[in-house]
Amino acid sequence: MSINVKRKGFYSLLWAITALSSACAQVPSPHQQNQGFLAAKRSIESSTVLLNNQNQVVPVKNLDQQKIASVHFNFENTLVFDSLLNKYAKVSSFDAAAYGSPKTLDNLVFDLKFYTTVIVQLNKQDLENPALMLFLSTINQQKNLIVACFGTTQLPASFNVLKTVLVWSPVNSPVAANYAAQLIFGGVGATQKLKTSIDAKYQKGDGAETVQTRLAYTVPEEVGINADNLNNSIDEIMAEAIRAKATPGAVVLVARNGKVIFDKGYGTHTYTDTLKDKITDIFDLASVTKVAATTMDVMKLYDEGKLNLDSTAGSYLALARNTNKNDIKVREFLTHQSGMVPDIVTWEKLKAENRSTDSSAAFPTKVADHFYLKKDYFKDVIWPDMLKSPLKTRGKYVYSDLSMYFMKEIVETISATPLNVFVQQNFYAPLGMQTAGFLPLNRFPQNQIVPTENDMGFRRQLLIGYVHDQGAGLLGGVSGHAGLFASANDLAILYQMILNRGTYGGVQYFKPETVDLFTAKQSDVSRRGLGFDRWDPNRATRYPSVMASDQTYGHTGYTGTCFWVDPKYNLVYVFLSNRVNPKVTNKLSDLGIRRRVQDAIYESIQKGL
């Protein structure tokens, strides 16, 4: 809008301000927009019905055993629908219109042969497609078929023969697509019955019920928070962080009451890059690895009775028996009270004969581009040094990376499985965590991975997809203390499961009492849990937030990451950044960015709507 001020003086200015204010008032704020969204969502929720779900195909289960496809014809809101599906699992999208003749979809059936579950989106126009019923009946015979039908009040009689699960919405809108996609994966529960019959098979009063089993994705207002307060506060803090060069970019995620209400990227991958941070980007989590990988494995082995917290290193590791580590208890490793020094693994000890610029049978361990370690370097050099390392502060709290090197060895000895494989198979894959894992370059393009340091001393290159931590690098990228990469959404899934006391997606991953034990304060000499960091009772530290409850647990990472779970507020907070790019700086901590963002979340909760 342009304003042409013809009159002079005060009244001319007043008129201009009034006209501008009037124009601005016509643009609804995020809070107002979200209230409109919620009104539309409530209407959609009251009319969306789940039908023919006797076999409980919905919510979709066993994500680690599934290969899922989504097929659309003329549905106008496919982008919204597929985007929500992919929050829960990797779902491949197929455009049926791209297969040419509407009379046959045989080639599409062929391309779907390796998929176990097929989700088909239909609008009113699609129901008139003469090839539709043959396509659906063919897929229905071979696979789990879920049909989401939008914008019609009646179904063709031919639908009666199908045994498919049907998600039926009389409304065709982006909100309807959003809701239906979440219902399919358990982000929302199905509660409604048909108010009128829609064909001879589906009669008034029909409708299956489900409950929410996974994270939902919605707006802050749904959990009693004004988006204007939350957005503005976090935006201002993050703008300051980037302006002060505390980090080139970041992703912030907030989930409350089992609902993701804030998920936003800020800045760029590097200060000289135009590649903006996206919520799907993958970050080096640094020491968050300790609790998002190693501690998860420990909890599972404890839960199954295979690991005893009061058993010693020597009882699990034969090579530790004739060392000063023999009688260190697992509990002491996990609380950082073993007496071990913080770290001894440094690249400066690496001799020229133990590295190569080319891969070979003699140098198989990749550290970075054109950087390979000699075979068995960990077993022959690093591990003996660890076993010989001194114990100086036994019984006192001294944070030590070495503890989690030892826990990796214990986990792998008991499980007979590499730590990264064990956690992937038992947690990340079944939970639907699509990006979480070690060695991300084996699975993802480089431009999806946020760079860390321009390492001019050790690896002499910008690190993209290679672990920043030097010790983990010398282990080939997989260690108990560092090496894990993930997106914010994946961490939210993992720690929503922990906040749920071990349950997610209808699966019990841990006994509730196991979660309670590991996340509780363990000793009088520190605030720590077992693996987990916790709220500090020393209010002067304001750690992790002056407003956090004493139930809060989580962890930080050296690269500029953290997550915190506060059961009192049913809250999961994830902050991912690359503050070590292009080189290590303490500005993120000096400015209190992670803490202040967390403070802003609590303040928004207290302010309400």
Side-chain angles (χ1 to χ4, degrees):
M1 176 180 178
S2 62
I3 300 174
N4 182 15
V5 180
K6 294 182 179 179
R7 290 174 288 181
K8 297 180 180 180
F10 173 80
Y11 289 102
S12 297
L13 180 60
L14 181 61
W15 176 85
I17 293 172
T18 303
L20 183 60
S21 299
S22 177
C24 292
Q26 295 173 11
V27 179
S29 69
H31 174 59
Q32 292 169 326
Q33 294 177 44
N34 290 347
Q35 288 178 315
F37 170 84
L38 285 182
K41 182 183 176 183
R42 284 191 288 269
S43 176
I44 295 298
E45 183 178 7
S46 69
S47 61
T48 301
V49 183
L50 176 64
L51 298 162
N52 212 31
N53 195 42
Q54 294 90 333
N55 294 329
Q56 299 183 341
V57 173
V58 170
V60 177
K61 302 174 184 65
N62 304 317
L63 299 182
D64 54 332
Q65 302 169 31
Q66 298 269 16
K67 188 172 182 183
I68 305 171
S70 175
V71 177
H72 62 275
F73 291 80
N74 297 292
F75 183 48
E76 301 86 343
N77 297 299
T78 286
L79 290 179
V80 173
F81 189 83
D82 284 351
S83 175
L84 265 296
L85 294 181
N86 275 279
K87 297 281 190 184
Y88 299 99
K90 179 176 174 53
V91 179
S92 301
S93 182
F94 289 84
D95 182 358
Y99 284 80
S101 171
K103 295 182 179 180
T104 177
L105 292 170
D106 292 346
N107 285 332
L108 176 54
V109 173
F110 180 83
D111 286 348
L112 293 170
K113 66 181 178 181
F114 292 122
Y115 291 85
T116 57
T117 295
V118 177
I119 303 167
V120 179
Q121 312 157 44
L122 301 175
N123 63 12
K124 188 174 182 179
Q125 179 185 347
D126 295 331
L127 295 175
E128 300 171 1
N129 186 334
L132 177 65
M133 292 312 302
L134 178 60
F135 169 72
L136 293 179
S137 60
T138 301
I139 296 297
N140 203 188
Q141 292 171 15
Q142 302 167 350
K143 308 173 187 300
N144 290 326
L145 175 63
I146 301 168
V147 174
C149 192
F150 301 90
T152 182
T153 57
Q154 293 291 313
L155 288 175
S158 52
F159 252 79
N160 291 346
V161 300
L162 293 176
K163 298 179 180 179
T164 176
V165 175
L166 177 63
V167 178
W168 183 82
S169 172
V171 178
N172 182 350
S173 71
V175 179
N178 175 307
Y179 188 83
Q182 296 194 59
L183 188 152
I184 288 169
F185 277 96
V188 297
T191 60
Q192 300 300 304
K193 308 292 183 183
L194 287 175
K195 295 177 176 60
T196 60
S197 300
I198 59 174
D199 73 353
K201 181 176 181 180
Y202 301 115
Q203 296 290 300
K204 178 181 178 180
D206 288 350
E209 294 186 7
T210 61
V211 297
Q212 180 185 354
T213 60
R214 295 188 175 96
L215 280 170
Y217 297 85
T218 187
V219 294
E221 282 71 12
E222 189 162 343
V223 297
I225 296 174
N226 186 315
D228 292 346
N229 295 334
L230 184 65
N231 295 357
N232 293 341
S233 297
I234 297 178
D235 287 352
E236 287 177 8
I237 296 166
M238 293 311 303
E240 177 189 345
I242 293 168
R243 188 168 58 248
K245 294 197 171 181
T247 181
V251 171
V252 178
L253 183 148
V254 181
R256 190 173 190 226
N257 299 343
K259 300 173 174 65
V260 175
I261 58 168
F262 188 96
D263 192 7
K264 187 174 180 178
Y266 295 90
T268 54
H269 279 201
T270 69
Y271 292 113
T272 59
D273 201 347
T274 57
L275 192 61
K276 293 184 180 297
D277 277 28
K278 298 185 290 294
I279 60 174
T280 52
D281 281 342
I282 301 167
F283 288 78
D284 181 336
L285 301 182
S287 284
V288 171
T289 303
K290 293 179 172 74
V291 283
T294 310
T295 300
M296 293 296 113
D297 289 350
V298 171
M299 290 171 70
K300 180 172 179 59
L301 294 173
Y302 171 84
D303 217 36
E304 295 175 344
K306 297 177 181 177
L307 178 147
N308 189 315
L309 294 173
D310 292 313
S311 290
T312 62
S315 67
Y316 295 116
L317 305 175
L319 290 174
R321 289 170 189 161
N322 294 318
T323 74
N324 60 359
K325 313 300 184 304
N326 176 58
D327 65 346
I328 296 178
K329 295 178 180 180
V330 169
R331 186 186 302 277
E332 293 178 278
F333 286 129
L334 293 173
T335 55
H336 298 277
Q337 292 178 211
S338 65
M340 302 180 80
V341 295
D343 202 357
I344 61 167
V345 186
T346 63
W347 66 272
E348 287 90 352
K349 296 180 180 180
L350 184 62
K351 296 179 180 178
E353 62 262 28
N354 289 325
R355 61 183 292 176
S356 172
T357 57
D358 295 314
S359 173
S360 66
F363 292 88
T365 304
K366 190 171 187 179
V367 176
D369 291 340
H370 311 297
F371 190 152
Y372 297 86
L373 280 184
K374 189 175 183 179
K375 184 180 180 181
D376 292 332
Y377 183 78
F378 173 76
K379 184 177 73 173
D380 295 341
V381 179
I382 296 177
W383 186 231
D385 281 351
M386 288 185 179
L387 291 170
K388 291 183 292 186
S389 65
L391 298 179
K392 296 183 176 181
T393 54
R394 186 86 179 265
K396 297 180 179 179
Y397 169 65
V398 176
Y399 184 81
S400 171
D401 283 345
L402 290 187
S403 295
M404 287 301 183
Y405 284 94
F406 275 82
M407 287 313 307
K408 173 179 179 289
E409 295 304 310
I410 291 172
V411 165
E412 293 182 340
T413 299
I414 296 173
S415 67
T417 307
L419 178 141
N420 57 318
V421 175
F422 192 74
V423 73
Q424 192 81 40
Q425 291 176 343
N426 287 287
F427 299 103
Y428 304 160
L431 282 165
M433 297 168 63
Q434 299 172 60
T435 63
F438 296 78
L439 310 174
L441 289 171
N442 293 347
R443 299 183 294 143
F444 298 99
Q446 195 177 72
N447 63 7
Q448 193 178 346
I449 306 169
V450 178
T452 55
E453 188 174 3
N454 189 8
D455 182 2
M456 300 309 295
F458 176 26
R459 286 157 285 195
R460 299 184 181 277
Q461 58 191 268
L462 177 64
L463 300 175
I464 310 178
Y466 295 108
V467 61
H468 177 260
D469 184 90
Q470 296 174 5
L474 289 169
L475 269 66
V478 180
S479 185
H481 74 293
L484 182 64
F485 289 70
S487 66
N489 190 64
D490 278 354
L491 281 188
I493 290 171
L494 183 65
Y495 290 111
Q496 186 63 46
M497 180 268 287
I498 296 296
L499 180 56
N500 294 345
R501 300 178 72 216
T503 300
Y504 193 84
V507 177
Q508 188 80 43
Y509 290 89
F510 299 119
K511 298 171 186 173
E513 52 268 31
T514 296
V515 174
D516 295 345
L517 172 64
F518 275 72
T519 58
K521 187 175 185 294
Q522 292 297 311
S523 78
D524 294 332
V525 302
S526 84
R527 64 179 183 248
R528 309 285 300 205
L530 293 167
F532 289 92
D533 199 359
R534 299 189 76 260
W535 169 85
D536 194 332
N538 180 359
R539 303 302 282 175
T541 67
R542 298 185 293 175
Y543 185 83
S545 163
V546 70
M547 304 176 76
S549 81
D550 59 1
Q551 302 172 32
T552 303
Y553 55 86
H555 214 283
T556 59
Y558 185 80
T559 48
T561 61
C562 75
F563 77 91
W564 292 100
V565 178
D566 191 337
K568 178 179 178 179
Y569 292 92
N570 210 1
L571 183 70
V572 177
Y573 160 53
V574 179
F575 183 104
L576 303 182
S577 78
N578 56 330
R579 64 111 186 171
V580 296
N581 176 270
K583 61 182 180 180
V584 175
T585 169
N586 291 324
K587 288 182 180 179
L588 194 77
S589 295
D590 292 343
L591 294 172
I593 298 299
R594 287 173 285 193
R595 171 184 54 77
R596 287 165 56 198
V597 170
Q598 194 171 359
D599 289 345
I601 296 166
Y602 286 110
E603 289 168 359
S604 296
I605 292 172
Q606 290 186 353
K607 289 178 181 177
L609 292 172

